[in-house]
Amino acid sequence: MAGFLGAINYHIPLPAGVELRSEAELKIWHQFTRARARPDGRDMDLILLGKIVKIEVDIHAGQIELNAIRMMIENKRGTPIQNPFLSVIDTLERRQLAIMRSMSLN
């Protein structure tokens, strides 16, 4: 139990070569790394986790953009079409899930 409680406030540093773009990514990095035990922090796993974090922030940004517009928009002819942001968000989610599966995260 003491080991678990100590892990709550422990911050795993970014591995060499991984740079986060914003405070939002750093916050999510800490949330994701707290979900794993300290010894599980191999560099390759942490590099992949950095990708997962960046994709998560991109998904969130895309969702905000989508919410500001609409799911359906009109093309130049006035025909309702699916907002292209839906495809972008879907692709990002698929990439993120593929990386998570390769790391056995759930």
Side-chain angles (χ1 to χ4, degrees), residues 1 8 28 34 50-51 67 73-74:
M1 183 68 162
I8 292 173
I28 293 172
R34 279 196 308 261
K51 289 182 181 195
N67 292 344
I73 59 173
E74 290 183 0

Side-chain angles (χ1 to χ4, degrees), residues 6-77:
I8 292 173
N9 293 321
Y10 181 78
H11 294 292
I12 296 175
L14 294 167
V18 174
E19 295 180 18
L20 300 179
R21 303 170 293 189
S22 66
E23 286 296 317
E25 287 182 357
L26 186 60
K27 181 178 181 179
I28 293 172
W29 170 264
H30 291 309
Q31 291 170 345
F32 276 49
T33 55
R34 279 196 308 261
R36 300 190 79 173
R38 287 185 222 178
D40 290 346
R42 298 178 312 176
D43 280 351
M44 188 59 204
D45 288 341
L46 296 176
I47 289 168
L48 291 173
L49 187 58
K51 289 182 181 195
I52 291 170
V53 166
K54 289 178 181 184
I55 293 170
E56 182 66 28
V57 170
D58 291 343
I59 289 168
H60 182 70
Q63 191 64 52
I64 289 172
E65 192 73 28
L66 180 64
N67 292 344
I69 305 171
R70 290 187 314 258
M71 286 198 192
M72 298 297 288
I73 59 173
E74 290 183 0
N75 64 12
K76 292 179 183 179
R77 296 182 193 157

